[in-house]
Amino acid sequence: MAGPEFLDTEQGRKLAYHRTQGEGPTVVFLGGLKSDMEGTKAVHLEAWCAARGQAFLRFDYSGHGESSGTFEEGCIGDWAQDTAAALSALTTGPLVVVGSSMGGWQALLYARAHPERVAGLVTIAAAPDFTEDGYAASFTDAQWAAIERDGQVEMPSDYMEPYIITRRLIEDGRDNLVLRSPLPLPFPVRCLQGTDDSAVSTETAVRLLEHADSPDMRLAIVKGADHRFSDRPCLGLIEEAIVDIMGLET
């Protein structure tokens, strides 16, 4: 496979991306925290869209994958800027935005800011507001002391090496919360969530469903699926959600 292309943003970042030309709407995949565009879901959807003759985009946020910067330098707002820059420069027309985990939060931020571009939204184990409701809400006194003393704290992960969570990530997250104020999503939304997800709870998925204002929003809870949501049956559910939004037949 050919290597990625790169987009220079006005913030001085260099974003790696793969783009597939085709018919619209363009399917855009937004990955999770410390994930990259070479993950199973992103690569699978690229091949699926190519076989359908449908336009597709996957990219790495700054500090992720092959893009510039380091993870510890970034925050939710930076990655939202990256998303807006990539979608503005690399896509035209309506979009079906597919957001996984932190990418679900990014998808909601993009949709809130640019509803005119979004034909529909698919979230997979969406993690809106996780910096506040997950990390900040669960920090011990010792972890808060580390944040104050060192500007960061190390947090374990069930899916990869520990995360370095910075004070900037927490503080910037508070400026980008989506579950504390109205969240209009004036297009179809399909949310997918597994019961065995140890990173994002079904309660979070239900909270998003109840909070958002959408004319056509549905939540599918899959028994036994974990946070990766990337085995063959789960990939099929993602395909079905995209097709459902577009009103097409498989």
Side-chain angles (χ1 to χ4, degrees):
M1 180 181 294
E5 298 182 80
F6 290 89
L7 171 69
D8 292 312
T9 74
E10 66 179 23
Q11 291 83 21
R13 304 178 195 127
K14 187 178 291 290
L15 305 181
Y17 69 91
H18 286 279
R19 176 172 52 178
T20 302
Q21 301 293 343
E23 298 296 320
T26 300
V27 176
V28 177
F29 185 80
L30 303 180
L33 190 73
K34 287 197 84 175
S35 184
D36 61 47
M37 62 175 171
E38 299 302 326
T40 301
K41 294 185 288 294
V43 172
H44 173 84
L45 288 178
E46 179 180 63
W48 181 73
C49 285
R52 294 167 54 86
Q54 188 162 7
F56 179 81
L57 174 68
R58 58 186 170 105
F59 68 94
D60 287 330
Y61 312 111
S62 54
H64 292 68
E66 297 188 66
S67 291
S68 66
T70 67
F71 172 76
E72 290 77 17
E73 293 172 331
C75 60
I76 300 301
D78 289 350
W79 302 323
Q81 290 175 341
D82 294 343
T83 298
L87 271 56
S88 175
L90 304 174
T91 69
T92 59
L95 307 170
V96 174
V97 183
V98 181
S100 175
S101 192
M102 191 272 287
W105 187 358
Q106 291 296 333
L108 294 167
L109 287 169
Y110 182 82
R112 187 173 68 178
H114 305 278
E116 73 286 351
R117 291 290 317 275
V118 181
L121 183 64
V122 177
T123 69
I124 307 160
D129 299 7
F130 75 86
T131 53
E132 190 69 14
D133 298 330
Y135 290 138
S138 64
F139 280 164
T140 63
D141 289 345
Q143 288 169 325
W144 277 118
I147 286 278
E148 292 301 318
R149 180 184 66 249
D150 306 323
Q152 63 184 43
V153 67
E154 185 176 286
M155 298 292 289
S157 167
D158 290 340
Y159 299 97
M160 59 182 71
E161 71 272 15
Y163 296 116
I164 301 299
I165 303 304
T166 65
R167 179 193 292 115
R168 181 168 182 253
L169 180 67
I170 298 297
E171 293 177 348
D172 174 83
R174 289 174 177 156
D175 294 331
N176 288 282
L177 301 175
V178 295
L179 297 178
R180 271 83 169 165
S181 58
L183 182 60
L185 302 174
F187 37 73
V189 181
R190 301 291 179 264
C191 303
L192 304 172
Q193 176 70 40
T195 61
D196 286 0
D197 188 332
S198 61
V200 177
S201 67
T202 55
E203 287 79 9
T204 299
V206 171
R207 184 182 177 195
L208 173 59
L209 178 73
E210 293 177 340
H211 177 73
D213 181 10
S214 169
D216 181 7
M217 186 172 185
R218 305 175 194 176
L219 168 62
I221 299 178
V222 182
K223 187 172 183 178
D226 65 13
H227 190 63
R228 293 184 179 91
F229 211 87
S230 58
D231 63 14
R232 180 58 253 189
C234 287
L235 294 173
L237 290 173
I238 299 169
E239 294 171 8
E240 291 173 11
I242 296 170
V243 169
D244 186 28
I245 278 178
M246 295 189 300
L248 302 176
E249 296 183 358
T250 54

